[in-house]
Amino acid sequence: MKEKSKEDYMRLALAQAKRGQAADEVPVGAVIVLGGKVIARAYNRKETLGRCTAHAEILAIEKAEKKLGTWHLDGAEMYVTLEPCPMCAGAIAGARISRLYFGAYEPKSGSAASRFPILTESGLNHRTEFEGGVLEESCATLLKNYFKSKRKEK
């Protein structure tokens, strides 16, 4: 059995994003992998749950913590379809996730590479390595089409 690539895991995150879109949520999906195994998957559920913190990344971290019985996610990788916001980047660093892969860049509030470099902030106890642009076109197109359809509804 061949080892999965970062693109394979990002496709799993895209599948989560599509589940969110089907629930009329902003289509962002996240997957957490530890030791080559998926330990958590989630998609945005802000509208469904009525919680401003119900972003895909936060929900995936909560699931991983529950599964492992600890908030220490050292050695884990996260795959998310959109560059995390400040809240999610803080949670990723706080959970000590080792590496983040994201798809589309978020120029307004991206908190890895685009706007606020939270993941590599020297004042934090943990720094998370990251790589953006994994299946970027697929991730960005999903978001663009979602917002385009929302604008048409109005």
Side-chain angles (χ1 to χ4, degrees):
M1 192 161 107
K2 97 175 177 71
E3 192 175 308
K4 286 190 174 34
S5 69
K6 60 189 173 193
E7 291 82 8
D8 292 330
Y9 290 121
M10 189 60 74
R11 284 185 194 91
L12 296 176
L14 272 164
Q16 288 297 303
K18 289 173 185 172
R19 287 185 69 192
Q21 182 177 27
D24 203 24
E25 295 278 358
V26 174
V28 176
V31 172
I32 298 178
V33 176
L34 183 62
K37 293 185 177 156
V38 174
I39 60 168
R41 309 165 196 251
Y43 55 88
N44 273 358
R45 297 187 66 205
K46 282 173 60 173
E47 302 304 325
T48 306
L49 298 176
R51 289 189 356 231
C52 69
T53 58
H55 288 200
E57 300 94 325
I58 301 290
L59 297 173
I61 288 169
E62 289 171 349
K63 287 180 179 181
E65 290 169 337
K66 186 174 183 180
K67 182 170 187 141
L68 298 177
T70 181
W71 61 269
H72 291 269
L73 302 182
D74 303 271
E77 299 175 337
M78 178 180 273
Y79 297 81
V80 63
T81 57
L82 181 65
E83 182 179 3
C85 71
M87 174 184 71
C88 291
I92 290 165
R96 298 184 180 176
I97 290 174
S98 296
R99 190 157 181 86
L100 167 74
Y101 296 92
F102 65 87
Y105 286 83
E106 172 48 272
K108 289 184 199 167
S109 64
S111 297
S114 296
R115 185 102 166 106
F116 308 108
I118 291 171
L119 296 178
T120 55
E121 169 56 47
S122 63
L124 298 178
N125 289 342
H126 178 78
R127 292 186 194 168
T128 299
E129 295 178 19
F130 65 87
E131 179 182 335
V134 179
L135 299 182
E136 181 177 6
E137 190 174 328
S138 298
C139 295
T141 298
L142 184 65
L143 284 157
K144 284 176 192 165
N145 289 343
Y146 172 80
F147 287 113
K148 190 184 212 178
S149 73
K150 284 295 185 190
R151 284 190 295 276
K152 277 184 183 172
E153 287 176 16
K154 289 184 178 182

